[in-house]
Amino acid sequence: MTTASNNSKRQCLVMGNWKMHGTLADNAKLLAALRPYASKNAAMAVCVPFPYLAQAQDALKGSSVTWGAQDISVHSHGAYTGEVSGAMLKDFGCRWTLVGHSERRSMHAESDQLVADKARAALAVGLTPVVCVGESLAERDAGQAVAVIQRQLAPVLALGADSVNQLVVAYEPVWAIGTGRTATPEQAQEVHAAIRAALSAIGAGNIQILYGGSVKAANAASLFSMPDIDGALVGGAALIADEFLSIAACGDQA
Ligand code: PGA
């Protein structure tokens, strides 16, 4: 049940999701602390609120730490008040954008198809979308975890192998986000292996699959030791420089 479908492990990616946190002053300290991070086996990235993209670009340019956004419009330009296009993100040096975070799925009614459309919009401008999927506690308790994730992934897989090979998937069980309740490494691995199998079936079995949900320095190493966990999407702990750097250090050793 917990076997990986690929032998060689992919590079570890430790990505911070700041959500709607930060101030210019707090960010300056956090980014300055992250900037010297020298990626060995683990790459580091931060996904910051839109207004702080320029700050992240200034603070991280020339370092090994990359940055990105937390959402993207499906549209390239036009009368879409409040939306931010992929081209705009590229203007600020973004490498990544999250799509389909559970907070956007639940609070902004984002459908599985819209999430896939956002992934496509990101790829169209050369951004790497990090497609977030994950089941609620009720869905898990009903034995539906894998089925829910397969449903969420279906329109993304329909983009085809060429596209899917260019994206990252993040498995974030909703019940583990911001709750302090992490999935056990075995629970996470079981879902990661199912995701890997679905990706392999279309010829995209070797992309990175991150785990997210209450990742911290104390649990990162055991998560990263799982064969199909290729890094982490980190919320709360990404706002604390030492904690986030320690998680990346676990990735370096994985
Ligand atoms: P958390 O958030 O690490 O605070 O649980 C993870 C996420 O929502 O990406």
PDB file of all heavy atoms in Angstrom, residues 26-64:
ATOM      1  N   ASP A  26       7.601  43.096   8.672  1.00  0.00           N
ATOM      2  CA  ASP A  26       7.798  41.682   9.048  1.00  0.00           C
ATOM      3  C   ASP A  26       8.389  40.875   7.894  1.00  0.00           C
ATOM      4  O   ASP A  26       9.272  40.035   8.082  1.00  0.00           O
ATOM      5  CB  ASP A  26       6.461  41.037   9.448  1.00  0.00           C
ATOM      6  CG  ASP A  26       5.950  41.561  10.776  1.00  0.00           C
ATOM      7  OD1 ASP A  26       6.731  42.214  11.501  1.00  0.00           O
ATOM      8  OD2 ASP A  26       4.762  41.327  11.083  1.00  0.00           O
ATOM      9  N   ASN A  27       7.887  41.147   6.687  1.00  0.00           N
ATOM     10  CA  ASN A  27       8.380  40.394   5.526  1.00  0.00           C
ATOM     11  C   ASN A  27       9.867  40.647   5.312  1.00  0.00           C
ATOM     12  O   ASN A  27      10.609  39.744   4.919  1.00  0.00           O
ATOM     13  CB  ASN A  27       7.670  40.808   4.232  1.00  0.00           C
ATOM     14  CG  ASN A  27       6.169  40.681   4.311  1.00  0.00           C
ATOM     15  OD1 ASN A  27       5.650  40.019   5.190  1.00  0.00           O
ATOM     16  ND2 ASN A  27       5.475  41.330   3.382  1.00  0.00           N
ATOM     17  N   ALA A  28      10.285  41.904   5.515  1.00  0.00           N
ATOM     18  CA  ALA A  28      11.693  42.251   5.271  1.00  0.00           C
ATOM     19  C   ALA A  28      12.590  41.381   6.146  1.00  0.00           C
ATOM     20  O   ALA A  28      13.611  40.851   5.683  1.00  0.00           O
ATOM     21  CB  ALA A  28      11.929  43.732   5.550  1.00  0.00           C
ATOM     22  N   LYS A  29      12.181  41.200   7.390  1.00  0.00           N
ATOM     23  CA  LYS A  29      12.998  40.374   8.302  1.00  0.00           C
ATOM     24  C   LYS A  29      12.973  38.914   7.866  1.00  0.00           C
ATOM     25  O   LYS A  29      14.003  38.241   7.838  1.00  0.00           O
ATOM     26  CB  LYS A  29      12.431  40.476   9.732  1.00  0.00           C
ATOM     27  CG  LYS A  29      12.797  41.771  10.424  1.00  0.00           C
ATOM     28  CD  LYS A  29      12.381  41.723  11.896  1.00  0.00           C
ATOM     29  CE  LYS A  29      11.760  43.049  12.270  1.00  0.00           C
ATOM     30  NZ  LYS A  29      10.641  43.014  13.159  1.00  0.00           N
ATOM     31  N   LEU A  30      11.804  38.420   7.544  1.00  0.00           N
ATOM     32  CA  LEU A  30      11.674  37.009   7.161  1.00  0.00           C
ATOM     33  C   LEU A  30      12.456  36.730   5.871  1.00  0.00           C
ATOM     34  O   LEU A  30      13.226  35.764   5.788  1.00  0.00           O
ATOM     35  CB  LEU A  30      10.182  36.680   6.991  1.00  0.00           C
ATOM     36  CG  LEU A  30       9.778  35.278   6.570  1.00  0.00           C
ATOM     37  CD1 LEU A  30      10.411  34.219   7.453  1.00  0.00           C
ATOM     38  CD2 LEU A  30       8.246  35.143   6.616  1.00  0.00           C
ATOM     39  N   LEU A  31      12.283  37.592   4.879  1.00  0.00           N
ATOM     40  CA  LEU A  31      12.960  37.362   3.591  1.00  0.00           C
ATOM     41  C   LEU A  31      14.474  37.473   3.746  1.00  0.00           C
ATOM     42  O   LEU A  31      15.228  36.708   3.121  1.00  0.00           O
ATOM     43  CB  LEU A  31      12.439  38.356   2.543  1.00  0.00           C
ATOM     44  CG  LEU A  31      10.972  38.136   2.135  1.00  0.00           C
ATOM     45  CD1 LEU A  31      10.443  39.350   1.366  1.00  0.00           C
ATOM     46  CD2 LEU A  31      10.814  36.862   1.300  1.00  0.00           C
ATOM     47  N   ALA A  32      14.933  38.395   4.573  1.00  0.00           N
ATOM     48  CA  ALA A  32      16.382  38.535   4.790  1.00  0.00           C
ATOM     49  C   ALA A  32      16.944  37.279   5.448  1.00  0.00           C
ATOM     50  O   ALA A  32      18.076  36.861   5.161  1.00  0.00           O
ATOM     51  CB  ALA A  32      16.668  39.757   5.658  1.00  0.00           C
ATOM     52  N   ALA A  33      16.149  36.669   6.310  1.00  0.00           N
ATOM     53  CA  ALA A  33      16.614  35.446   6.979  1.00  0.00           C
ATOM     54  C   ALA A  33      16.639  34.256   6.016  1.00  0.00           C
ATOM     55  O   ALA A  33      17.471  33.364   6.133  1.00  0.00           O
ATOM     56  CB  ALA A  33      15.719  35.136   8.173  1.00  0.00           C
ATOM     57  N   LEU A  34      15.715  34.243   5.046  1.00  0.00           N
ATOM     58  CA  LEU A  34      15.653  33.123   4.100  1.00  0.00           C
ATOM     59  C   LEU A  34      16.671  33.274   2.974  1.00  0.00           C
ATOM     60  O   LEU A  34      17.149  32.271   2.432  1.00  0.00           O
ATOM     61  CB  LEU A  34      14.246  33.015   3.489  1.00  0.00           C
ATOM     62  CG  LEU A  34      13.087  32.805   4.459  1.00  0.00           C
ATOM     63  CD1 LEU A  34      11.779  32.667   3.674  1.00  0.00           C
ATOM     64  CD2 LEU A  34      13.302  31.592   5.353  1.00  0.00           C
ATOM     65  N   ARG A  35      16.967  34.512   2.618  1.00  0.00           N
ATOM     66  CA  ARG A  35      17.788  34.783   1.439  1.00  0.00           C
ATOM     67  C   ARG A  35      19.092  33.980   1.371  1.00  0.00           C
ATOM     68  O   ARG A  35      19.451  33.469   0.307  1.00  0.00           O
ATOM     69  CB  ARG A  35      18.096  36.295   1.379  1.00  0.00           C
ATOM     70  CG  ARG A  35      18.806  36.673   0.106  1.00  0.00           C
ATOM     71  CD  ARG A  35      19.288  38.094   0.018  1.00  0.00           C
ATOM     72  NE  ARG A  35      20.367  38.077  -0.955  1.00  0.00           N
ATOM     73  CZ  ARG A  35      20.167  38.145  -2.270  1.00  0.00           C
ATOM     74  NH1 ARG A  35      18.960  38.323  -2.760  1.00  0.00           N
ATOM     75  NH2 ARG A  35      21.179  38.053  -3.100  1.00  0.00           N
ATOM     76  N   PRO A  36      19.835  33.824   2.469  1.00  0.00           N
ATOM     77  CA  PRO A  36      21.113  33.088   2.366  1.00  0.00           C
ATOM     78  C   PRO A  36      20.944  31.584   2.177  1.00  0.00           C
ATOM     79  O   PRO A  36      21.935  30.890   1.963  1.00  0.00           O
ATOM     80  CB  PRO A  36      21.795  33.352   3.722  1.00  0.00           C
ATOM     81  CG  PRO A  36      21.001  34.413   4.396  1.00  0.00           C
ATOM     82  CD  PRO A  36      19.638  34.383   3.805  1.00  0.00           C
ATOM     83  N   TYR A  37      19.707  31.089   2.265  1.00  0.00           N
ATOM     84  CA  TYR A  37      19.508  29.637   2.154  1.00  0.00           C
ATOM     85  C   TYR A  37      20.124  29.136   0.854  1.00  0.00           C
ATOM     86  O   TYR A  37      19.812  29.638  -0.228  1.00  0.00           O
ATOM     87  CB  TYR A  37      18.014  29.282   2.183  1.00  0.00           C
ATOM     88  CG  TYR A  37      17.781  27.812   1.945  1.00  0.00           C
ATOM     89  CD1 TYR A  37      18.014  26.897   2.956  1.00  0.00           C
ATOM     90  CD2 TYR A  37      17.368  27.351   0.702  1.00  0.00           C
ATOM     91  CE1 TYR A  37      17.826  25.533   2.731  1.00  0.00           C
ATOM     92  CE2 TYR A  37      17.188  25.990   0.475  1.00  0.00           C
ATOM     93  CZ  TYR A  37      17.419  25.094   1.491  1.00  0.00           C
ATOM     94  OH  TYR A  37      17.248  23.756   1.261  1.00  0.00           O
ATOM     95  N   ALA A  38      21.000  28.182   0.997  1.00  0.00           N
ATOM     96  CA  ALA A  38      21.660  27.614  -0.176  1.00  0.00           C
ATOM     97  C   ALA A  38      21.066  26.240  -0.419  1.00  0.00           C
ATOM     98  O   ALA A  38      21.237  25.333   0.390  1.00  0.00           O
ATOM     99  CB  ALA A  38      23.160  27.531   0.045  1.00  0.00           C
ATOM    100  N   SER A  39      20.357  26.132  -1.482  1.00  0.00           N
ATOM    101  CA  SER A  39      19.674  24.894  -1.810  1.00  0.00           C
ATOM    102  C   SER A  39      20.688  23.809  -2.173  1.00  0.00           C
ATOM    103  O   SER A  39      21.552  24.007  -3.014  1.00  0.00           O
ATOM    104  CB  SER A  39      18.749  25.184  -2.966  1.00  0.00           C
ATOM    105  OG  SER A  39      18.429  24.035  -3.637  1.00  0.00           O
ATOM    106  N   LYS A  40      20.584  22.692  -1.492  1.00  0.00           N
ATOM    107  CA  LYS A  40      21.412  21.538  -1.853  1.00  0.00           C
ATOM    108  C   LYS A  40      20.456  20.498  -2.432  1.00  0.00           C
ATOM    109  O   LYS A  40      20.226  20.465  -3.619  1.00  0.00           O
ATOM    110  CB  LYS A  40      22.148  21.010  -0.624  1.00  0.00           C
ATOM    111  CG  LYS A  40      23.231  21.982  -0.151  1.00  0.00           C
ATOM    112  CD  LYS A  40      23.959  21.433   1.060  1.00  0.00           C
ATOM    113  CE  LYS A  40      24.015  22.364   2.190  1.00  0.00           C
ATOM    114  NZ  LYS A  40      23.302  22.650   3.248  1.00  0.00           N
ATOM    115  N   ASN A  41      19.902  19.684  -1.550  1.00  0.00           N
ATOM    116  CA  ASN A  41      18.938  18.692  -2.046  1.00  0.00           C
ATOM    117  C   ASN A  41      17.513  19.210  -1.994  1.00  0.00           C
ATOM    118  O   ASN A  41      16.613  18.606  -2.563  1.00  0.00           O
ATOM    119  CB  ASN A  41      19.045  17.410  -1.232  1.00  0.00           C
ATOM    120  CG  ASN A  41      20.414  16.796  -1.371  1.00  0.00           C
ATOM    121  OD1 ASN A  41      20.946  16.747  -2.476  1.00  0.00           O
ATOM    122  ND2 ASN A  41      21.003  16.378  -0.270  1.00  0.00           N
ATOM    123  N   ALA A  42      17.288  20.294  -1.264  1.00  0.00           N
ATOM    124  CA  ALA A  42      15.932  20.822  -1.136  1.00  0.00           C
ATOM    125  C   ALA A  42      15.868  22.250  -1.671  1.00  0.00           C
ATOM    126  O   ALA A  42      16.645  23.107  -1.243  1.00  0.00           O
ATOM    127  CB  ALA A  42      15.492  20.801   0.326  1.00  0.00           C
ATOM    128  N   ALA A  43      14.959  22.487  -2.566  1.00  0.00           N
ATOM    129  CA  ALA A  43      14.722  23.842  -3.060  1.00  0.00           C
ATOM    130  C   ALA A  43      13.731  24.539  -2.121  1.00  0.00           C
ATOM    131  O   ALA A  43      12.863  23.891  -1.537  1.00  0.00           O
ATOM    132  CB  ALA A  43      14.156  23.783  -4.469  1.00  0.00           C
ATOM    133  N   MET A  44      13.887  25.851  -1.989  1.00  0.00           N
ATOM    134  CA  MET A  44      12.992  26.625  -1.117  1.00  0.00           C
ATOM    135  C   MET A  44      12.251  27.676  -1.948  1.00  0.00           C
ATOM    136  O   MET A  44      12.837  28.305  -2.835  1.00  0.00           O
ATOM    137  CB  MET A  44      13.792  27.321  -0.013  1.00  0.00           C
ATOM    138  CG  MET A  44      12.931  28.184   0.898  1.00  0.00           C
ATOM    139  SD  MET A  44      13.927  29.121   2.073  1.00  0.00           S
ATOM    140  CE  MET A  44      14.282  27.857   3.270  1.00  0.00           C
ATOM    141  N   ALA A  45      10.983  27.873  -1.632  1.00  0.00           N
ATOM    142  CA  ALA A  45      10.173  28.876  -2.326  1.00  0.00           C
ATOM    143  C   ALA A  45       9.168  29.470  -1.348  1.00  0.00           C
ATOM    144  O   ALA A  45       8.823  28.832  -0.350  1.00  0.00           O
ATOM    145  CB  ALA A  45       9.439  28.238  -3.504  1.00  0.00           C
ATOM    146  N   VAL A  46       8.706  30.691  -1.653  1.00  0.00           N
ATOM    147  CA  VAL A  46       7.645  31.307  -0.841  1.00  0.00           C
ATOM    148  C   VAL A  46       6.550  31.833  -1.760  1.00  0.00           C
ATOM    149  O   VAL A  46       6.824  32.430  -2.805  1.00  0.00           O
ATOM    150  CB  VAL A  46       8.171  32.458   0.047  1.00  0.00           C
ATOM    151  CG1 VAL A  46       8.993  31.907   1.205  1.00  0.00           C
ATOM    152  CG2 VAL A  46       8.978  33.488  -0.737  1.00  0.00           C
ATOM    153  N   CYS A  47       5.298  31.608  -1.382  1.00  0.00           N
ATOM    154  CA  CYS A  47       4.149  32.145  -2.106  1.00  0.00           C
ATOM    155  C   CYS A  47       3.534  33.236  -1.227  1.00  0.00           C
ATOM    156  O   CYS A  47       2.985  32.949  -0.157  1.00  0.00           O
ATOM    157  CB  CYS A  47       3.147  31.051  -2.428  1.00  0.00           C
ATOM    158  SG  CYS A  47       3.798  29.883  -3.636  1.00  0.00           S
ATOM    159  N   VAL A  48       3.658  34.472  -1.681  1.00  0.00           N
ATOM    160  CA  VAL A  48       3.340  35.635  -0.842  1.00  0.00           C
ATOM    161  C   VAL A  48       2.074  36.325  -1.362  1.00  0.00           C
ATOM    162  O   VAL A  48       1.680  36.125  -2.507  1.00  0.00           O
ATOM    163  CB  VAL A  48       4.542  36.624  -0.819  1.00  0.00           C
ATOM    164  CG1 VAL A  48       5.832  35.895  -0.456  1.00  0.00           C
ATOM    165  CG2 VAL A  48       4.707  37.363  -2.137  1.00  0.00           C
ATOM    166  N   PRO A  49       1.440  37.152  -0.543  1.00  0.00           N
ATOM    167  CA  PRO A  49       0.280  37.914  -1.023  1.00  0.00           C
ATOM    168  C   PRO A  49       0.691  38.825  -2.202  1.00  0.00           C
ATOM    169  O   PRO A  49       1.818  39.336  -2.234  1.00  0.00           O
ATOM    170  CB  PRO A  49      -0.123  38.744   0.199  1.00  0.00           C
ATOM    171  CG  PRO A  49       0.411  37.983   1.381  1.00  0.00           C
ATOM    172  CD  PRO A  49       1.690  37.372   0.899  1.00  0.00           C
ATOM    173  N   PHE A  50      -0.231  39.065  -3.114  1.00  0.00           N
ATOM    174  CA  PHE A  50       0.085  39.854  -4.318  1.00  0.00           C
ATOM    175  C   PHE A  50       0.832  41.159  -4.033  1.00  0.00           C
ATOM    176  O   PHE A  50       1.808  41.467  -4.713  1.00  0.00           O
ATOM    177  CB  PHE A  50      -1.197  40.184  -5.099  1.00  0.00           C
ATOM    178  CG  PHE A  50      -1.875  38.989  -5.726  1.00  0.00           C
ATOM    179  CD1 PHE A  50      -3.243  38.795  -5.583  1.00  0.00           C
ATOM    180  CD2 PHE A  50      -1.160  38.078  -6.501  1.00  0.00           C
ATOM    181  CE1 PHE A  50      -3.885  37.721  -6.174  1.00  0.00           C
ATOM    182  CE2 PHE A  50      -1.794  36.990  -7.096  1.00  0.00           C
ATOM    183  CZ  PHE A  50      -3.168  36.811  -6.929  1.00  0.00           C
ATOM    184  N   PRO A  51       0.390  41.965  -3.043  1.00  0.00           N
ATOM    185  CA  PRO A  51       1.060  43.269  -2.886  1.00  0.00           C
ATOM    186  C   PRO A  51       2.530  43.154  -2.499  1.00  0.00           C
ATOM    187  O   PRO A  51       3.269  44.125  -2.647  1.00  0.00           O
ATOM    188  CB  PRO A  51       0.276  43.945  -1.750  1.00  0.00           C
ATOM    189  CG  PRO A  51      -0.990  43.197  -1.638  1.00  0.00           C
ATOM    190  CD  PRO A  51      -0.702  41.799  -2.096  1.00  0.00           C
ATOM    191  N   TYR A  52       2.941  41.992  -2.034  1.00  0.00           N
ATOM    192  CA  TYR A  52       4.322  41.840  -1.571  1.00  0.00           C
ATOM    193  C   TYR A  52       5.212  41.129  -2.582  1.00  0.00           C
ATOM    194  O   TYR A  52       6.364  40.823  -2.275  1.00  0.00           O
ATOM    195  CB  TYR A  52       4.340  41.096  -0.234  1.00  0.00           C
ATOM    196  CG  TYR A  52       3.612  41.832   0.878  1.00  0.00           C
ATOM    197  CD1 TYR A  52       2.687  41.175   1.670  1.00  0.00           C
ATOM    198  CD2 TYR A  52       3.839  43.186   1.124  1.00  0.00           C
ATOM    199  CE1 TYR A  52       2.008  41.842   2.687  1.00  0.00           C
ATOM    200  CE2 TYR A  52       3.162  43.864   2.124  1.00  0.00           C
ATOM    201  CZ  TYR A  52       2.243  43.185   2.905  1.00  0.00           C
ATOM    202  OH  TYR A  52       1.572  43.844   3.897  1.00  0.00           O
ATOM    203  N   LEU A  53       4.693  40.891  -3.784  1.00  0.00           N
ATOM    204  CA  LEU A  53       5.524  40.208  -4.787  1.00  0.00           C
ATOM    205  C   LEU A  53       6.758  41.031  -5.147  1.00  0.00           C
ATOM    206  O   LEU A  53       7.855  40.494  -5.302  1.00  0.00           O
ATOM    207  CB  LEU A  53       4.708  39.915  -6.048  1.00  0.00           C
ATOM    208  CG  LEU A  53       3.727  38.754  -5.923  1.00  0.00           C
ATOM    209  CD1 LEU A  53       2.823  38.690  -7.150  1.00  0.00           C
ATOM    210  CD2 LEU A  53       4.480  37.439  -5.746  1.00  0.00           C
ATOM    211  N   ALA A  54       6.575  42.349  -5.276  1.00  0.00           N
ATOM    212  CA  ALA A  54       7.728  43.195  -5.626  1.00  0.00           C
ATOM    213  C   ALA A  54       8.767  43.153  -4.508  1.00  0.00           C
ATOM    214  O   ALA A  54       9.976  43.119  -4.758  1.00  0.00           O
ATOM    215  CB  ALA A  54       7.274  44.629  -5.881  1.00  0.00           C
ATOM    216  N   GLN A  55       8.288  43.131  -3.282  1.00  0.00           N
ATOM    217  CA  GLN A  55       9.205  43.056  -2.143  1.00  0.00           C
ATOM    218  C   GLN A  55       9.974  41.726  -2.150  1.00  0.00           C
ATOM    219  O   GLN A  55      11.187  41.695  -1.921  1.00  0.00           O
ATOM    220  CB  GLN A  55       8.423  43.220  -0.835  1.00  0.00           C
ATOM    221  CG  GLN A  55       9.323  43.275   0.389  1.00  0.00           C
ATOM    222  CD  GLN A  55       8.538  43.282   1.705  1.00  0.00           C
ATOM    223  OE1 GLN A  55       7.389  42.841   1.756  1.00  0.00           O
ATOM    224  NE2 GLN A  55       9.168  43.791   2.757  1.00  0.00           N
ATOM    225  N   ALA A  56       9.245  40.647  -2.422  1.00  0.00           N
ATOM    226  CA  ALA A  56       9.910  39.337  -2.478  1.00  0.00           C
ATOM    227  C   ALA A  56      10.938  39.312  -3.604  1.00  0.00           C
ATOM    228  O   ALA A  56      12.050  38.802  -3.448  1.00  0.00           O
ATOM    229  CB  ALA A  56       8.872  38.226  -2.668  1.00  0.00           C
ATOM    230  N   GLN A  57      10.558  39.897  -4.736  1.00  0.00           N
ATOM    231  CA  GLN A  57      11.484  39.930  -5.874  1.00  0.00           C
ATOM    232  C   GLN A  57      12.755  40.688  -5.507  1.00  0.00           C
ATOM    233  O   GLN A  57      13.868  40.227  -5.762  1.00  0.00           O
ATOM    234  CB  GLN A  57      10.794  40.599  -7.068  1.00  0.00           C
ATOM    235  CG  GLN A  57      11.647  40.650  -8.327  1.00  0.00           C
ATOM    236  CD  GLN A  57      10.898  41.288  -9.493  1.00  0.00           C
ATOM    237  OE1 GLN A  57      10.053  42.172  -9.287  1.00  0.00           O
ATOM    238  NE2 GLN A  57      11.190  40.828 -10.686  1.00  0.00           N
ATOM    239  N   ASP A  58      12.600  41.856  -4.894  1.00  0.00           N
ATOM    240  CA  ASP A  58      13.764  42.654  -4.496  1.00  0.00           C
ATOM    241  C   ASP A  58      14.632  41.906  -3.491  1.00  0.00           C
ATOM    242  O   ASP A  58      15.851  41.911  -3.580  1.00  0.00           O
ATOM    243  CB  ASP A  58      13.312  43.967  -3.831  1.00  0.00           C
ATOM    244  CG  ASP A  58      12.986  45.016  -4.861  1.00  0.00           C
ATOM    245  OD1 ASP A  58      13.242  44.767  -6.063  1.00  0.00           O
ATOM    246  OD2 ASP A  58      12.469  46.082  -4.468  1.00  0.00           O
ATOM    247  N   ALA A  59      13.960  41.282  -2.529  1.00  0.00           N
ATOM    248  CA  ALA A  59      14.707  40.676  -1.417  1.00  0.00           C
ATOM    249  C   ALA A  59      15.374  39.363  -1.815  1.00  0.00           C
ATOM    250  O   ALA A  59      16.379  38.982  -1.218  1.00  0.00           O
ATOM    251  CB  ALA A  59      13.764  40.446  -0.231  1.00  0.00           C
ATOM    252  N   LEU A  60      14.806  38.661  -2.805  1.00  0.00           N
ATOM    253  CA  LEU A  60      15.297  37.307  -3.096  1.00  0.00           C
ATOM    254  C   LEU A  60      16.048  37.197  -4.417  1.00  0.00           C
ATOM    255  O   LEU A  60      16.654  36.147  -4.688  1.00  0.00           O
ATOM    256  CB  LEU A  60      14.122  36.314  -3.103  1.00  0.00           C
ATOM    257  CG  LEU A  60      13.382  36.163  -1.782  1.00  0.00           C
ATOM    258  CD1 LEU A  60      12.161  35.255  -1.941  1.00  0.00           C
ATOM    259  CD2 LEU A  60      14.305  35.611  -0.689  1.00  0.00           C
ATOM    260  N   LYS A  61      15.996  38.268  -5.227  1.00  0.00           N
ATOM    261  CA  LYS A  61      16.655  38.212  -6.524  1.00  0.00           C
ATOM    262  C   LYS A  61      18.114  37.789  -6.355  1.00  0.00           C
ATOM    263  O   LYS A  61      18.813  38.294  -5.477  1.00  0.00           O
ATOM    264  CB  LYS A  61      16.586  39.604  -7.176  1.00  0.00           C
ATOM    265  CG  LYS A  61      16.588  39.571  -8.670  1.00  0.00           C
ATOM    266  CD  LYS A  61      16.304  40.925  -9.309  1.00  0.00           C
ATOM    267  CE  LYS A  61      16.097  42.057  -8.346  1.00  0.00           C
ATOM    268  NZ  LYS A  61      15.715  43.320  -8.942  1.00  0.00           N
ATOM    269  N   GLY A  62      18.571  36.866  -7.163  1.00  0.00           N
ATOM    270  CA  GLY A  62      19.962  36.436  -7.084  1.00  0.00           C
ATOM    271  C   GLY A  62      20.215  35.381  -6.023  1.00  0.00           C
ATOM    272  O   GLY A  62      21.325  34.856  -5.926  1.00  0.00           O
ATOM    273  N   SER A  63      19.219  35.069  -5.224  1.00  0.00           N
ATOM    274  CA  SER A  63      19.395  33.998  -4.231  1.00  0.00           C
ATOM    275  C   SER A  63      18.841  32.704  -4.823  1.00  0.00           C
ATOM    276  O   SER A  63      18.265  32.699  -5.908  1.00  0.00           O
ATOM    277  CB  SER A  63      18.663  34.342  -2.933  1.00  0.00           C
ATOM    278  OG  SER A  63      17.296  34.010  -3.032  1.00  0.00           O
ATOM    279  N   SER A  64      18.980  31.604  -4.092  1.00  0.00           N
ATOM    280  CA  SER A  64      18.440  30.341  -4.608  1.00  0.00           C
ATOM    281  C   SER A  64      16.976  30.155  -4.212  1.00  0.00           C
ATOM    282  O   SER A  64      16.334  29.183  -4.592  1.00  0.00           O
ATOM    283  CB  SER A  64      19.275  29.155  -4.114  1.00  0.00           C
ATOM    284  OG  SER A  64      19.062  28.976  -2.734  1.00  0.00           O
TER     285      SER A  64
END
